[in-house]
Amino acid sequence: AGEQVSGQFAIDYAAATLAATSTADADKVVTTRVDKTLSNNAIDVFVVVPAGEYTEGFSVRFIDNKGHYMDIATKTITLTKGDIKSMPVVEFAPTGTLVGVEIASAEDLVAFAKAFNSGEYDNVSPLVVTLKNDIVFDDATNAAWTSIGSVEYEAEGAVNRRFDGSFYGQGFAIKNWHSTNKPLFATTNGGIIKDLVIDSSSSMTFSLNIIAESHYGVIIGDAFSTVIENCTNKAPVSLDNCVANGLATRLDVGGIVGRTDSDSQIIGCTNDGTIESKSTCNFGLTAEEAVPKATVYIGGICGYCRCSIIDCSNTGDITSNYNAYEKATAGIVARIINADNTVQNCTNS
């Protein structure tokens, strides 16, 4: 019935009671992670909530690690301080549906990005996001767009929220999306991004004078332990601005992903969008301390890769006018690091 059961409360020390002070939806929920394998023996799960009378009872949702869930509910219940109430033993019988977020419009996608970045989904695991149709941006939603997930070096003391769920595009396209320095996902950690198309009516601009390190991909900027499968970018990418003061020490750009770690995989992805630097830039050409040496990696699929790239293709023209201490430009991947990572069955035309 919407009562506050978590978060911040006011304390009446004389009466030894709590008074609700929040109306946030996140504070109307208590989440407990169990991390146990079900068996024939019952598993006790303890959930702590404030004492009081709950006239509508509780709605309880059990979720397995595949995202299937079962809902049960209690009747009216009164809880006193320090008392443990036992709910009946139930057998887990999932309904076959998934806990998740359905995205049907650009407004939905913008709202989800802001909600995720604010922490509303911190206790949702697994998080499943599904597109229900093509997503068409307009001037208002383009202006309001922010990448899903925050970047760890975005600001001192910033909370680092990497997207760790599953995002299923179901073959639908994101259209008329025009973004500067804001990929679809700023950073991911785990999960899968699958069956997504960025339409040619969209465009991306990446500027270099933002931070010391820049990892830019149209779909993901910086991917950790993530599977990116069957995704296509058709949007043109412009690399703009030049850093003259030597602050930019790292630039990784990809039509799909900017940078990945060794546990990531890019499978069956295609880049058809052009990647073009709009200005000639010379920066970080030496290892002198006053002007830090810079690296620039630009690839059709991925810029800097500690990953495996399988069954991917690039047809987009790639033009780089950047001069740096170390640089590489390529149709598939500009630099791949680990010997156990592979580029397999890929084409560049």
Side-chain angles (χ1 to χ4, degrees):
E3 293 100 338
Q4 182 186 348
V5 290
S6 63
Q8 299 293 319
F9 292 84
I11 303 175
D12 184 335
Y13 291 97
T17 59
L18 298 177
T21 61
S22 172
T23 59
D25 288 340
D27 292 337
K28 300 173 185 175
V29 177
V30 174
T31 302
T32 300
R33 191 177 182 97
V34 179
D35 284 328
K36 291 185 178 180
T37 301
L38 294 180
S39 67
N40 291 328
N41 298 320
I43 296 173
D44 291 326
V45 180
F46 295 92
V47 182
V48 180
V49 296
E53 181 179 359
Y54 295 89
T55 57
E56 300 296 326
F58 292 100
S59 298
V60 183
R61 171 166 288 184
F62 299 92
I63 312 171
D64 70 11
N65 62 3
K66 298 296 184 182
H68 302 98
Y69 68 86
M70 176 182 73
D71 288 337
I72 64 174
T74 73
K75 297 179 180 179
T76 298
I77 189 168
T78 299
L79 302 177
T80 57
K81 297 184 290 291
D83 190 19
I84 298 176
K85 293 283 189 180
S86 296
M87 295 181 66
V89 176
V90 295
E91 181 178 353
F92 182 69
T95 63
T97 52
L98 293 172
V99 173
V101 179
E102 294 185 347
I103 305 294
S105 66
E107 289 82 2
D108 289 348
L109 190 57
V110 169
F112 170 75
K114 291 182 176 179
F116 181 87
N117 294 346
S118 69
E120 288 189 25
Y121 294 94
D122 283 358
N123 294 316
V124 177
S125 179
L127 173 60
V128 179
V129 181
T130 306
L131 297 190
K132 303 305 293 182
N133 42 246
D134 287 347
I135 305 301
V136 183
F137 277 73
D138 57 19
D139 290 344
T141 47
N142 274 313
W145 172 249
T146 184
S147 295
I148 301 168
S150 58
V151 181
E152 58 187 5
Y153 42 70
E154 187 174 84
E156 184 176 353
V159 175
N160 179 24
R161 286 192 173 92
R162 296 172 176 152
F163 179 81
D164 57 358
S166 299
F167 190 98
Y168 297 114
Q170 301 200 112
F172 292 116
I174 295 178
K175 299 180 177 180
N176 198 37
W177 173 43
H178 304 291
S179 177
T180 298
N181 299 326
K182 296 176 182 178
L184 185 64
F185 296 89
T187 179
T188 60
N189 184 21
I192 183 172
I193 313 299
K194 186 175 181 180
D195 299 332
L196 177 65
V197 177
I198 308 299
D199 188 71
S200 58
S201 59
S202 302
S203 65
M204 301 294 298
T205 299
F206 297 139
S207 299
L208 307 187
N209 60 351
I210 306 300
I211 48 181
E213 289 192 11
S214 299
H215 312 293
Y216 290 135
V218 176
I219 295 177
I220 306 175
D222 208 355
F224 296 83
S225 304
T226 305
V227 175
I228 305 98
E229 184 175 354
N230 196 30
C231 292
T232 299
N233 173 55
K234 301 180 180 180
V237 176
S238 297
L239 306 178
D240 200 5
N241 294 337
C242 179
V243 178
N245 58 10
L247 290 179
T249 59
R250 180 74 176 272
L251 172 64
D252 304 317
V253 176
I256 303 295
V257 187
R259 181 179 75 167
T260 66
D261 78 336
S262 57
D263 292 326
S264 293
Q265 291 183 306
I266 307 175
I267 305 170
C269 293
T270 300
N271 177 62
D272 296 328
T274 59
I275 302 176
E276 182 180 5
S277 54
K278 296 295 186 180
S279 60
T280 301
C281 190
N282 298 287
F283 63 102
L285 294 176
T286 71
E288 297 175 4
E289 184 175 351
V291 182
K293 64 181 181 181
T295 57
V296 177
Y297 303 115
I298 301 173
I301 299 298
C302 182
Y304 183 93
C305 176
R306 289 189 178 99
C307 68
S308 295
I309 303 178
I310 303 168
D311 298 331
C312 293
S313 64
N314 173 67
T315 65
D317 291 339
I318 303 173
T319 306
S320 173
N321 294 318
Y322 295 122
N323 293 312
Y325 179 80
E326 184 173 294
K327 65 177 182 177
T329 305
I332 300 297
V333 56
R335 185 172 185 188
I336 190 164
I337 303 301
N338 293 351
D340 57 347
N341 295 150
T342 60
V343 178
Q344 178 182 331
N345 196 32
C346 295
T347 60
N348 174 60
S349 56

